[in-house]
Amino acid sequence: MIFRLALAELRNRPGRALFLLGGYSLGVAVMVVLLAVGEAMLNQARDAELVGGGDVVVVPAGISAEMLKSGGVSSLFLGIDHARFLHRNLLESPRGREDFGIEGVSPLLDGKQVELFAGDRRIAAIAAGEIPSRAQAAGAVPRLLSGGWRDSDADRRWLRPSSDELYREIDRFHIPPVRDSTWAEWHYFNVVLSEQRWVYVTLMVAGEVGVPGRWGGRILLTVREPDGTHRSLTRDLPGEQVRFDTASPDLRFGDRAYVRMRDGVYRVVADAEGVRVDLRVTPAPRRYFPPTELGGSELVSGYVTPALYATADGTVCAPVCEPVRGAQSYHDHNWGVWRDVSWEWGSASDARMSLLYGVVRGGGAGTEGLFAYLVDERGVRGVFRPGAVQFGETQPATVAGRTVRVPRRFAFQDARQGLRVDVEVAAVHVTDMNRPERRFFVQMRGVATVRERGKIVGRLPGFFETYVD
């Protein structure tokens, strides 16, 4: 019946019938072509040779396989933040190789705009680059028409820098992007002299750097004695006596105080009000957190931790000189604008594992939440995004004639990834910042109990900071 009706329509109105048939045919043809192209693109996205070799392609968070249909990772001009760190401490770390069977990782730089010069001609081009040994490991070595293709010294530094090269890469000073009186940048070290005694060492550059008379350096030494008392000692220097290096951690305050890094060891010399430290701080391999910079409308906040766990040797004179041998130590480096800023921060370590967590608040810091990071001698254990720190129990502390409530116990957790951290505070030092909000700065010493999927994986002694009103 349908066939007879179609023939009748064709006889009665042949032009309209043919036009309708042509329209349907065109639509079907377009769908066939689109499906064929989509299938071909998906096959290309899955083809190891077309996406740089290997079985897995690492792309930024939020990129899906559907986006890869447009021609692969390189055609999207995607970039991986902290690619060197991910390569060294995650993908090709001992944990990545032994626990996840990763044989090799090949970083690919593509879509880089360059200029070529041929005589008087200047030609704009797009260049790509790979590391020969890693491309070979991923099965993506190109066919060479002539010559050789092997790792350069720059490739070696990217893959396996020496300790000296690593710390020069991640730990260096910065020229302030703006002239702001609240700009500050500092090296911070803490050294545990005994269970009840430790010292904080800060060498800071602050102010409107580059403007004579409007910036300078400050040495801050805080000594915690066994009876619980703290001595905070300072020495200030004018800007003309301060020298810092934008290509290394080196910092010098006149002739008597400096931080200098050589062969992967930090030499820290500082004095203030009769107290002097002369230490060699040696970071443990792989126990670092890479440089990270947060920026908002008003805030620049940079942070790197070259030594989540280190050992310190030398002398501390406070004022009686005593030797320091193999003391547990920590080092970080901060920079930025610190107007009305507060934070939650903590670092805890033993010889096997390190924990770091933190968040910056105020001053246009944006909406970034708390992060937590676990690392050991085999590389990264995990990066977590816990909820807010929960202060479950407090205790009184006296500062500037006032009694304030400070934490005794607190906790945070990332339920999705199975991390829970409980901190029991053993010692507290409170500083009155004399400001309307988040007035009291609380420095704590305690033990962090770290659980993964309900199992205790570490009880780590450490230092923790917060602000209270």
Side-chain angles (χ1 to χ4, degrees), residues 33-373:
V33 170
L34 290 177
L35 289 172
V37 171
E39 183 67 21
M41 286 185 172
L42 184 58
N43 289 336
Q44 288 181 359
R46 292 168 174 167
D47 190 327
E49 294 299 326
L50 292 176
V51 292
D55 302 307
V56 176
V57 177
V58 178
V59 297
I63 302 301
S64 69
E66 295 300 315
M67 294 187 69
L68 297 181
K69 292 180 183 180
S70 63
V73 179
S74 59
S75 69
L76 297 176
F77 301 100
L78 302 176
I80 304 295
D81 289 336
H82 303 302
R84 300 183 187 205
F85 173 76
L86 293 174
H87 189 282
R88 300 163 184 167
N89 246 27
L90 181 65
L91 299 173
E92 283 202 359
S93 69
R95 174 169 283 107
R97 293 186 181 277
E98 297 164 8
D99 294 0
F100 299 98
I102 296 176
E103 297 181 6
V105 178
S106 178
L108 173 66
L109 177 66
D110 203 358
K112 183 71 174 180
Q113 294 184 356
V114 298
E115 290 185 341
L116 304 178
F117 295 89
D120 295 333
R121 296 179 61 199
R122 185 171 66 179
I123 304 170
I126 295 179
E130 297 181 70
I131 297 177
S133 64
R134 309 329 300 146
Q136 183 176 9
V141 177
R143 184 171 63 91
L144 299 181
L145 299 178
S146 64
W149 195 48
R150 58 186 61 88
D151 290 3
S152 66
D153 191 56
D155 294 329
R156 177 200 59 78
R157 289 196 303 271
W158 204 99
L159 295 169
R160 296 177 299 278
S162 67
S163 296
D164 191 85
E165 291 166 340
L166 173 64
Y167 297 123
R168 286 178 179 273
E169 174 190 308
I170 67 174
D171 191 4
R172 57 184 179 81
F173 275 77
H174 303 77
I175 300 296
V178 294
R179 287 180 175 173
D180 191 306
S181 61
T182 69
W183 173 271
E185 182 163 9
W186 66 89
H187 280 307
Y188 168 78
F189 299 84
N190 66 48
V191 181
V192 180
L193 304 176
S194 70
E195 283 295 321
Q196 300 297 325
R197 190 162 179 257
W198 48 86
V199 58
Y200 306 131
V201 182
T202 301
L203 287 87
M204 177 184 293
V205 177
E208 297 180 31
V209 176
V211 181
R214 303 292 297 272
W215 73 289
R218 166 167 289 189
I219 298 170
L220 172 61
L221 302 177
T222 301
V223 181
R224 202 271 189 182
E225 301 292 1
D227 63 1
T229 59
H230 287 76
R231 288 186 290 153
S232 294
L233 315 159
T234 63
R235 181 162 74 90
D236 293 339
L237 297 95
E240 58 265 23
Q241 295 187 32
V242 178
R243 296 290 182 271
F244 59 85
D245 191 348
T246 58
S248 83
D250 291 1
L251 172 66
R252 178 170 288 278
F253 286 175
D255 298 327
R256 294 161 41 195
Y258 59 85
V259 174
R260 185 175 63 211
M261 192 276 302
R262 298 291 184 273
D263 300 321
V265 178
Y266 289 83
R267 180 76 181 276
V268 184
V269 176
D271 69 282
E273 299 183 38
V275 172
R276 180 174 177 82
V277 299
D278 186 339
L279 299 167
R280 295 177 303 280
V281 178
T282 306
R286 299 190 181 277
R287 306 278 282 275
Y288 69 94
F289 184 78
T292 301
E293 187 167 291
L294 302 177
S297 59
E298 303 172 12
L299 173 75
V300 176
S301 175
Y303 178 76
V304 61
T305 310
L308 283 163
Y309 181 83
T311 55
D313 300 274
T315 57
V316 172
C317 303
V320 178
C321 293
E322 59 186 283
V324 178
R325 297 189 180 93
Q328 182 173 333
S329 184
Y330 165 94
H331 165 49
D332 68 24
H333 180 157
N334 298 260
W335 64 94
V337 176
W338 303 100
R339 185 185 302 110
D340 298 326
V341 169
S342 66
W343 55 80
E344 305 287 348
W345 171 89
S347 175
S349 296
D350 61 13
R352 189 179 58 88
M353 181 191 306
S354 294
L355 164 73
L356 177 70
Y357 72 87
V359 63
V360 177
R361 297 193 179 97
T367 58
E368 291 291 332
L370 187 72
F371 81 93
Y373 170 70

Side-chain angles (χ1 to χ4, degrees), residues 11 31 87 154 247 249 281 316-317 353 377 390 413 415 466:
R11 284 194 303 267
M31 289 301 300
H87 189 282
V281 178
V316 172
C317 303
M353 181 191 306
E377 68 278 3
Q390 303 295 323
Q413 65 178 338
T466 189

